[in-house]
Amino acid sequence: MTTGIILLAAGRSLRFGSDKRCTPWPGQECLFRTSLTNAVDSGLPVFVVLHQGDAELLEHCIKDDVVASICPDSARGIGNSIAYGVHTNQDWDGWIIARADMPWVTPEVYQALAAQLGSNDCARLADHFGHAGFPTAFRREHAFSLMNLSGHVTEEKLLKGHDCSVVTVDDPLILRDINIPSDIPTAV
C-alpha cells in the first residue's frame, strides 16, 4: 500500500505579513525546509503543492528530488490545494494531508499515520488531552470527496461524524502552526 504526504505550501501568508515559508528556522535555513525535511525523512513519497509565482521554490524541490507542482487555483483556498494534490497523486492508496507551516510534525508521526491506514480508512492526530490536530490521513475510499474540496473547506469536513483512528502525540507543539511572526519565539 502506497501512502504519501501531500505537503501544502500554497498559502499566501497574509496574517504573517511576508512569506513565512522563507522565515529562518533553528537548525534549518527556513521554516519550509524544516517541514519538507521532516516529510522526506519519513521515507514516504512526498508531493509539495505550491502557488503561482513559486518558481524558485519549485526549482529547489526539483533540485532536492522532491516532486512538487504549482496548483493553478490555489488562490481560491486550501480546499483547492488539497484537491489538486490528491488528484495529481491518484495512484497512491492513501494520502497524509500536511501543512508546511507545522514544522514540529516529525518523520515518526508521518509513519504512524501511514501505518494506521493499513486497518483504518482515516486517521488524525490528537494530543494526550484529546485535542485534534493535523496532519490527517485518508485511504483511497475518500479520494472522490478529497478531490471535490474547494475554497476554504478543508479535509476536516470529511472527519466530522466519522470514526477515525487517532494517533496520540505527547508533544503539545504538534498541534501548533505558524501564523504570525510572534508564533516563532513562543513556539521554539
Side-chain angles (χ1 to χ4, degrees):
M1 179 170 156
T2 300
T3 297
I5 300 167
I6 306 289
L7 189 61
L8 302 172
R12 295 290 180 170
S13 306
L14 297 176
R15 288 176 285 179
F16 196 82
S18 61
D19 191 345
K20 66 183 168 184
R21 299 170 304 175
C22 300
T23 297
W25 196 257
Q28 288 282 350
E29 63 189 65
C30 66
L31 173 67
F32 173 74
R33 176 71 66 191
T34 302
S35 296
L36 181 62
T37 298
N38 288 340
V40 169
D41 287 352
S42 72
L44 300 168
V46 177
F47 179 80
V48 179
V49 179
L50 300 168
H51 63 71
Q52 291 182 353
D54 273 343
E56 188 175 327
L57 276 179
L58 179 62
E59 288 301 318
H60 282 290
C61 288
I62 292 169
K63 187 177 110 188
D64 292 342
D65 291 325
V66 175
V67 180
S69 184
I70 294 176
C71 176
D73 59 355
S74 64
R76 294 183 180 173
I78 190 171
N80 293 75
S81 295
I82 294 168
Y84 179 78
V86 172
H87 185 267
T88 305
N89 296 283
Q90 290 181 59
D91 57 323
W92 293 353
D93 299 304
W95 305 271
I96 296 172
I97 311 298
R99 279 105 174 118
D101 65 354
M102 297 185 75
W104 298 282
V105 180
T106 65
E108 295 77 19
V109 167
Y110 287 122
Q111 293 164 354
L113 283 167
Q116 288 299 310
L117 293 184
S119 56
N120 301 282
D121 66 321
C122 63
R124 78 168 316 150
L125 293 183
D127 67 10
H128 62 278
F129 296 112
H131 300 122
F134 298 99
T136 57
F138 296 88
R139 248 185 359 209
R140 178 172 289 284
E141 48 261 57
H142 294 281
F144 182 78
S145 296
L146 289 165
M147 288 188 287
N148 279 288
L149 291 173
S150 64
H152 299 291
V153 178
T154 72
E155 79 281 15
E156 201 163 19
K157 172 186 174 187
L158 306 179
L159 298 172
K160 291 184 180 170
H162 198 81
D163 189 25
C164 286
S165 175
V166 175
V167 174
T168 303
V169 179
D170 282 333
D171 187 350
L173 290 178
I174 198 74
L175 304 177
R176 301 228 13 222
D177 61 351
I178 304 299
N179 289 316
I180 56 175
S182 63
D183 287 341
I184 294 174
T186 61
V188 175

